Amino acid sequence: MGIAVHQRRLMAALILLGSSAAAHAQEEAPGLPALGAASDQASVVGVSSGGYMASQLAVAWPERFSGVGVLAAGPWGCAQGALSLALNQCMMTRRGLPSLDELEQRRERYLSLDQVGSQDALSQLRAFVWHGDADETVSPALGDLLAQQWQGWLESPEQQLRYVQRANTGHGWPVAMPKDAPIDPQSLGDCHNGGGSHVLACGEDVAGEMMAWLYPERETNASEGELLAFDQSDFAAKGFADTGYVFVPEACEAGGCPVTVALHGCQMNAEAIDDTFVRYSGLNRWAAEHGQVVLYPQAESSMANPQACWDWWGFAESTWQINPLHDTRDGTQTQALMAMLDHLQSATANKAATAE
């Protein structure tokens, strides 16, 4: 299904208004378009808390994805529903490194209850893991464990897994800013500290490198594209912001393009850094060249989640559930994110809502 020209122009204009873009989008954004996107070859990628969430989606629904990309995060299931573990064993390692055997037992328990996808489906994914060796927010040792975890899951890890350890690089998502960008790349912070945005002006196109790995030998299908704001209320879940973003190349308006779900990290949502991540991650550039829809859901800050992280330790459910299922198919945010993917892959504008 195509998108009306006037709608595209309106959303593009709203996003270009500058620092108040998010506020305008909340007032004017339409619903997420139903694009008839491809039901196969979807991928999920993320950085920091978004990296943890990307692994959660891939493990919960491996049959729905062909690839997963994780930057600056540790192994799946690491927090085990406890904020104390998230802080002391899954970011810093004051309590020592998490046990991969223990985490595997957690996954196998979920598997026995049909709360995650099958081992066969998981083993077929392509995986890209990236970590900066100067990361002072999430220890690089945790990136090593994540890579080991995926090695144990994949059928042919030497062919399906790429692990990149970036020297002299801190916590965040490296970018190669276009020359005509309206912001100075160095204002984002250098490769080591990332400023306050965790967008690292390293001159490195990690998005292009990652997508080339997840989609090997992908043919070019270049066209112009637009970044659109949409109302997330149809997919309301605890921790979700009012407005999300989606990048749609013209070549994808008629349907048939795969989708990449791209998850920002803590303090990287539009409320905190405007459209810096959704516009300059590098994913849109690759997507416009190859015919890919990129979905940028947005988390919001709250008392329970002041840095607008994705739920990788159970905050969205812990108030009503002793053992939160945030890292399963039944997770509150997991269900909402998958509903967004379902909607993009549908050819009709039926609402897809999830209950809090």
Side-chain angles (χ1 to χ4, degrees), residues 79 180 246 289 300:
D180 59 351
V246 61
E289 185 175 348
E300 69 174 356

Side-chain angles (χ1 to χ4, degrees), residues 60-105:
W61 294 102
E63 64 272 26
R64 298 291 305 277
F65 296 101
S66 64
V68 56
V70 179
L71 281 69
W76 171 90
C78 186
Q80 301 185 65
L83 179 58
S84 60
L85 284 180
L87 296 174
N88 296 301
Q89 197 171 57
C90 305
M91 295 177 66
M92 297 298 98
T93 55
R94 287 182 286 265
R95 291 194 184 181
L97 291 172
S99 166
L100 290 185
D101 289 339
E102 184 177 337
L103 298 181
E104 186 60 15
Q105 291 172 13

Side-chain angles (χ1 to χ4, degrees), residues 135-218:
D135 191 331
E136 297 179 356
T137 301
V138 177
S139 170
L142 293 163
D144 293 341
L145 281 183
L146 175 62
Q148 291 177 37
Q149 194 175 54
W150 278 102
Q151 284 176 342
W153 289 338
L154 299 177
E155 182 176 279
S156 302
E158 67 280 358
Q159 297 177 352
Q160 294 169 252
L161 171 66
R162 183 169 186 187
Y163 180 28
V164 179
Q165 298 165 290
R166 179 62 151 75
N168 301 313
T169 304
H171 184 74
W173 180 293
V175 297
M177 296 292 289
K179 294 180 179 179
D180 59 351
I183 57 177
D184 176 7
Q186 294 308 312
S187 69
L188 302 177
D190 60 24
C191 282
H192 188 271
N193 62 39
S197 68
H198 300 298
V199 176
L200 307 175
C202 298
E204 177 184 355
D205 181 19
V206 73
E209 181 181 0
M210 174 172 61
M211 297 298 283
W213 176 259
L214 298 182
Y215 296 94
E217 301 179 5
R218 176 72 172 271

Side-chain angles (χ1 to χ4, degrees), residues 279-298:
R279 189 172 293 279
Y280 299 115
S281 67
L283 290 170
N284 300 346
R285 183 166 55 246
W286 191 93
E289 185 175 348
H290 294 90
Q292 188 91 359
V293 175
V294 186
L295 174 67
Y296 294 98
Q298 295 289 296

